[in-house]
Amino acid sequence: MKDELVSRFTVSIPSQLMRQLERMRKEKGYASRSQEIADMIRDEWIAHSQKTGNEEIAGTITLVYDHHKQNVQATLTDIQHDHHEVILSTMHVHLDHHNCLEVLAVKGKASSIKSIADQLIAAKGVKHGKLTVTTTGKDMPL
Ligand code: NI
């Protein structure tokens, strides 16, 4: 790190998330928070690079949201209808009185799947979302 240029930035996150970050740092054995976050960014960067190409991929988009939050369901449905050609199937599970789990099976160009996942995950009211990418199997011999 001595010879590398270092950038510093300030981040504001909920206190509970901060406690979770700190607990994870200790459990993973990182000496510093900077080291931990740098590794998280590298990991995300690799995943991000794989999702921005032109190749056809398959995958799932998982969303957890509170359906009582205003407009969240309508927003998610609008986005899904705009991209019906790549969303093959959806499953909706009512986790409890408030929380819904939605899983979308998708297939299409990596960059467009990534963009749809980003829109859904960034929608107001979505608590957590994740795109999991896999192969379509076509160019994957056993
Ligand atoms: Ni539900």
Side-chain angles (χ1 to χ4, degrees), residues 44-53 55 57 110-111 133:
E44 276 299 308
W45 173 250
I46 290 167
H48 171 77
S49 308
Q50 286 172 345
K51 291 168 190 165
T52 49
E55 66 274 28
I57 56 163
S111 54
V133 172

Side-chain angles (χ1 to χ4, degrees), residues 29-86:
Y30 284 108
S32 76
R33 204 174 286 155
S34 295
Q35 209 186 348
E36 177 189 21
I37 290 169
D39 268 1
M40 287 165 76
I41 295 170
R42 284 186 197 101
D43 198 38
E44 276 299 308
W45 173 250
I46 290 167
H48 171 77
S49 308
Q50 286 172 345
K51 291 168 190 165
T52 49
N54 272 330
E55 66 274 28
E56 191 180 54
I57 56 163
T60 55
I61 301 168
T62 305
L63 304 166
V64 173
Y65 60 90
D66 182 342
H67 77 277
H68 290 117
K69 286 273 180 287
Q70 217 183 357
N71 295 328
V72 64
Q73 220 144 21
T75 304
L76 296 178
T77 303
D78 282 349
I79 298 168
Q80 292 183 45
H81 276 273
D82 284 345
H83 303 284
H84 62 88
E85 70 287 347
V86 300

Side-chain angles (χ1 to χ4, degrees), residues 1 5 7-8 14-15 18 29-30 32 38 46 50 64 67 69 78 83 85 102-104 112 114 120-121 125-127:
M1 192 98 127
L5 279 175
S7 297
R8 289 192 173 82
S15 303
M18 188 67 214
Y30 284 108
S32 76
I46 290 167
Q50 286 172 345
V64 173
H67 77 277
K69 286 273 180 287
D78 282 349
H83 303 284
E85 70 287 347
E102 212 158 280
V103 182
L104 286 61
S112 80
K114 177 74 168 83
L120 292 165
I121 293 165
V126 173
K127 294 180 174 182

Side-chain angles (χ1 to χ4, degrees), residues 67 73 92-94 99-100:
H67 77 277
Q73 220 144 21
H92 184 110
V93 177
H94 312 301
N99 296 295
C100 301

